[in-house]
Amino acid sequence: MTVTPDIHAPIEHTKLLIGGEFVDALDGKVFDTINPSTGEVITQVAEGSAADVDRAVAVARDAFENGPWRRMKPNERAAALWRLGDLLLADADEMGRVETLDQGKPFAFAKGGDVPSAAGLFHYMSGFATKLEGATIPISAPGNFHTYTRREALGVVGLIVPWNFPLTISAWKLAPALAAGNTVVLKPAEATPLSALRLGQLALEAGIPPGVFNVVNGYGSTVGQRLAEHPDVDKVSFTGSTATGRRILDSAKGNLKRVTLELGGKSANIIFPDADIEAAIAGSSAGIFFNAGQACAAASRLYVHDDVYDEVIAGMAEKARQIKVGDGFDPTSEIGPVASKEHFDRVSGYLEVGKGEGEVVTGGARLGERGYFIEPTIFAGAAPDARIIKEEIFGPVVVASRFSDTDDVIAQANDTRYGLASGVWTSNVSTAHSVAARIQAGTVWVNSYGVFDPSMPFGGMKESGWGREMGHDVMHDYTDVKTVCVNIDG
Ligand code: NAP
Ligand code: MG
């Protein structure tokens, strides 16, 4: 049954979650969270400070050292994480409502996309709790030794997440961190503080002990910074901009905490003349316009072979004009607003830059007077060093360029400091694999774009980051290896 969400129903959780209790900030401060479809205040949320981070970290430390989580049988930890996935699915209507109110994305996507993909993360990662295995090692040193490795949790992990996929990106980090037996303090983005609090409530209901998963909302410059620099936090995992990623590294160096960075991108999407053009047009449009372009892996640079350039650009322009942009709770909306006034201003600035650097094929303006809506936009003909080709816009804006030579398009695709993702459209199997091998990016999609799965490692090369989310590889980022060498000669 389709439930029509009541956008005015109260929001259940707006305080900080520390030690299993929803509590006010120590100094009692609150901030407004805004619905980007209307610009109106949804509710007020407790605004944490450095002192709140300190108490959340102390609680997480105690839960790690003295609580049951790390000592639980692995299958009990797995069962709790699996239950959290189930509870999320059962809560899809309310969790979807909260995410749409706060972030703006269409309710059908929040409920039918973000919630199940977050649940899928908990289901998939729960299995690692019972599979954190070491190795026995036949060493050659003189003597007689039984030598083996143990995979151990790191301790207290700080998670700092952005506002484009607040729930899903939280799950990307939480699920493996918790499966390994760590305890965490999560800082959501100030623009989207709500879904993490609801997730915290569900985690308690799933049997994840109090203090294992704490949530401190607040600003990056206070809460985020304190979490990244905190001497008793063992690791920080961050998703956001490359500039903030550098700041996190500076903050983290005090205690040399482990750092995972999932940063921005300016992903090249290449259409060869032998591609299925209809599929390439549809996939490339979804690749940039999905989530109003607010995706780190968005297909924001489009390279089309001369032979099919006019056909592809005409097709994409038609698709862009047909996309229904509107309020997240209008069931006909295909994309919503961008997530905040601040980000709207940033993307609008790039629209003006783009008009000076290239030709507007379609779009290029704000939509309506209320809320933060931007027309799906295609620019063409910008020079390779134009800002709109070099810089991450993070909005529904793609920049199209022509190519005629494979070596040349690979050089252009790799001519960026980013290396997050890429797309290749071709019917030639040799082109597909050889181009995939030569592109400097953490993920290459062939004849598809934006396919994510909990089993697929995701992360950046170059300045797009350090480490991986998801797949088996992520478990290396949330555990350490201990070598035990036992003299068995008595
Ligand atoms: P951002 O600054 O990187 O924010 C991401 C997270 O980091 C937020 O929770 C933010 O907190 C926090 N933060 C900010 N300053 C911090 C600091 N000094 N120490 C610790 N944490 C800190 O991103 P933004 O300013 O919102 O967006 C800027 C650009 O980043 C976008 O235009 C886009 O290009 C890129 N971006 C990339 C991704 C991605 O998925 N890779 C996601 C979002 C944005 P507050 O927001 O609460 O202050
Ligand atoms: Mg908001």
Side-chain angles (χ1 to χ4, degrees):
M1 189 184 76
T2 311
V3 177
T4 307
D6 173 3
I7 65 166
H8 298 295
I11 301 287
E12 206 175 335
H13 295 295
T14 58
K15 298 186 177 186
L16 312 178
L17 175 58
I18 300 179
E21 307 281 337
F22 287 94
V23 296
D24 291 317
L26 284 170
D27 61 11
K29 278 195 183 170
V30 294
F31 66 97
D32 291 340
T33 189
I34 308 287
N35 174 354
S37 287
T38 61
E40 287 166 3
V41 175
I42 305 163
T43 186
Q44 292 192 316
V45 177
E47 180 192 331
S49 65
D52 292 300
V53 173
D54 290 355
R55 68 176 168 144
V57 170
V59 161
R61 172 60 59 194
D62 185 54
F64 182 73
E65 301 295 344
N66 307 313
W69 187 238
R70 189 162 52 123
R71 286 175 193 77
M72 260 181 197
K73 292 291 182 204
N75 66 352
E76 293 169 359
R77 220 162 52 229
L81 289 170
W82 187 275
R83 274 196 300 274
L84 177 53
D86 285 350
L87 289 176
L88 254 174
L89 291 176
D91 193 52
D93 280 309
E94 180 58 10
M95 187 62 94
R97 182 183 82 97
V98 165
E99 195 78 325
T100 292
L101 270 175
D102 215 8
Q103 203 279 342
K105 64 183 70 197
F107 176 66
F109 292 155
K111 176 184 169 182
D114 296 49
V115 172
S117 54
L121 253 293
F122 291 107
H123 286 152
Y124 175 87
M125 290 293 165
S126 70
F128 280 115
T130 51
K131 293 165 199 71
L132 291 171
E133 297 166 357
T136 52
I137 305 173
I139 69 171
S140 303
N144 195 11
F145 297 96
H146 171 51
T147 302
Y148 60 95
T149 55
R150 293 165 48 84
R151 233 168 220 294
E152 297 185 351
L154 295 171
V156 177
V157 178
L159 309 177
I160 302 177
V161 299
W163 37 258
N164 51 341
F165 294 94
L167 175 67
T168 313
I169 293 179
S170 297
W172 284 7
K173 298 180 189 302
L174 270 168
L178 296 180
N182 299 288
T183 60
V184 308
V185 177
L186 170 69
K187 191 208 99 63
E190 159 262 323
T192 50
L194 297 176
S195 55
L197 295 171
R198 191 159 184 87
L199 184 63
Q201 169 68 43
L202 296 179
L204 291 168
E205 287 168 23
I208 294 173
V212 170
F213 169 25
N214 306 281
V215 182
V216 180
N217 275 301
Y219 292 90
S221 53
T222 51
V223 171
Q225 171 142 351
R226 180 63 184 154
L227 199 51
E229 74 190 11
H230 200 293
D232 203 29
V233 170
D234 298 288
K235 182 206 168 88
V236 64
S237 177
F238 166 78
T239 296
S241 64
T242 296
T244 302
R246 284 204 173 80
R247 250 173 258 134
I248 301 265
L249 276 185
D250 274 340
S251 305
K253 71 186 179 205
N255 69 338
L256 291 175
K257 59 174 62 69
R258 308 295 191 263
V259 177
T260 292
L261 301 172
E262 205 269 274
L263 307 176
K266 193 75 185 178
S267 298
N269 181 38
I270 307 171
I271 303 181
F272 287 91
D274 56 15
D276 173 340
I277 296 300
E278 208 178 309
I281 289 170
S284 303
S285 299
I288 181 63
F289 298 131
F290 174 68
N291 212 43
Q294 302 164 112
C296 42
S300 52
R301 288 186 294 146
L302 175 67
Y303 294 96
V304 189
H305 192 277
D306 265 335
D307 292 354
V308 292
Y309 182 88
D310 291 340
E311 182 185 354
V312 167
I313 300 305
M316 282 193 57
E318 194 186 329
K319 280 241 179 298
R321 285 191 284 266
Q322 282 167 358
I323 290 172
K324 169 79 194 315
V325 183
D327 189 303
F329 290 106
D330 176 341
T332 66
S333 296
E334 293 168 291
I335 68 175
V338 297
S340 67
K341 168 79 168 64
E342 185 192 358
H343 192 53
F344 174 82
D345 291 342
R346 192 184 297 136
V347 177
S348 301
Y350 275 110
L351 294 179
E352 293 317 306
V353 169
K355 286 171 193 166
E357 290 183 329
E359 156 213 345
V360 180
V361 177
T362 186
R366 148 173 227 175
L367 264 170
E369 293 302 312
R370 198 171 95 119
Y372 313 132
F373 300 97
I374 292 177
E375 288 179 331
T377 298
I378 303 176
F379 286 116
D385 61 351
R387 285 184 61 198
I388 56 168
I389 296 236
K390 291 290 182 200
E391 297 174 18
E392 185 176 44
I393 299 174
F394 221 66
V397 183
V398 62
V399 187
S401 308
R402 297 170 175 273
F403 75 93
S404 54
D405 172 77
T406 301
D407 288 342
D408 173 53
V409 77
I410 289 171
Q412 287 197 64
N414 289 336
D415 181 19
T416 167
R417 48 195 196 104
Y418 293 115
L420 193 57
S422 193
V424 179
W425 298 85
T426 177
S427 57
N428 182 315
V429 74
S430 305
T431 307
H433 291 291
S434 65
V435 174
R438 293 173 66 192
I439 296 277
Q440 297 162 342
T443 299
V444 179
W445 285 292
V446 178
N447 296 332
S448 60
Y449 204 93
V451 178
F452 284 88
D453 190 89
S455 60
M456 287 168 63
F458 178 76
M461 293 181 175
K462 296 157 75 176
E463 292 182 30
S464 287
W466 289 357
R468 289 293 178 269
E469 316 262 21
M470 302 188 279
H472 290 221
D473 296 84
V474 73
M475 297 314 295
H476 294 279
D477 289 355
Y478 289 102
T479 53
D480 234 336
V481 174
K482 177 183 285 172
T483 304
V484 182
C485 179
V486 184
N487 181 348
I488 53 172
D489 263 350

